[in-house]
Amino acid sequence: YDGRLVVDSKLRTSDPDIYAGGDLTKFSRKYRHPVYHDQYNPWELGRYLGMCLLEAVDPLAPSRGSPSRLEEASVDHLPTLLQPRAMCLRIPTGLNYTRIA
């Protein structure tokens, strides 16, 4: 714990049987600087977490999605997550608000 739940490139905590991903997690400091998961698109992070879990539970299962992302996330490299995080809402005055980060 370092202000948030710390995970490695395969989203494992210090206990290799526990996986985590989301707004309250971050990558370990050994990957340059702390990278908070709230900066990523939650759907993309969830899909990546699912692929990591599937690989851990059933290594012979057919890969769904991009297998290169799992191979890419080695011990020394973080996964490449590309989708923007977006928020859209309607303000009470009837105006729309969109933020893409």
Side-chain angles (χ1 to χ4, degrees):
Y1 182 81
D2 186 16
R4 294 180 185 225
L5 187 60
V6 180
V7 296
D8 65 5
S9 63
K10 298 279 189 151
L11 303 178
R12 294 177 296 215
T13 62
S14 58
D15 181 341
D17 294 329
I18 298 176
Y19 290 75
D23 289 348
L24 300 177
T25 58
K26 71 175 190 174
F27 287 117
S28 174
R29 287 185 185 192
K30 70 180 180 181
Y31 305 109
R32 291 174 266 134
H33 52 81
V35 178
Y36 301 118
H37 291 177
D38 61 357
Q39 298 173 359
Y40 295 117
N41 182 297
W43 294 100
E44 185 177 28
L45 187 63
R47 277 193 301 272
Y48 180 71
L49 177 59
M51 288 191 302
C52 291
L53 283 169
L54 184 62
E55 180 184 72
V57 174
D58 187 7
L60 299 178
S63 177
R64 295 179 184 157
S66 173
S68 62
R69 285 192 183 178
L70 288 178
E71 294 167 4
E72 171 187 322
S74 66
V75 175
D76 297 328
H77 294 65
L78 294 177
T80 303
L81 301 172
L82 303 173
Q83 293 181 349
R85 183 177 181 104
M87 177 178 58
C88 301
L89 59 99
R90 182 174 295 262
I91 300 174
T93 61
L95 298 173
N96 293 322
Y97 173 82
T98 302
R99 177 177 177 237
I100 299 175

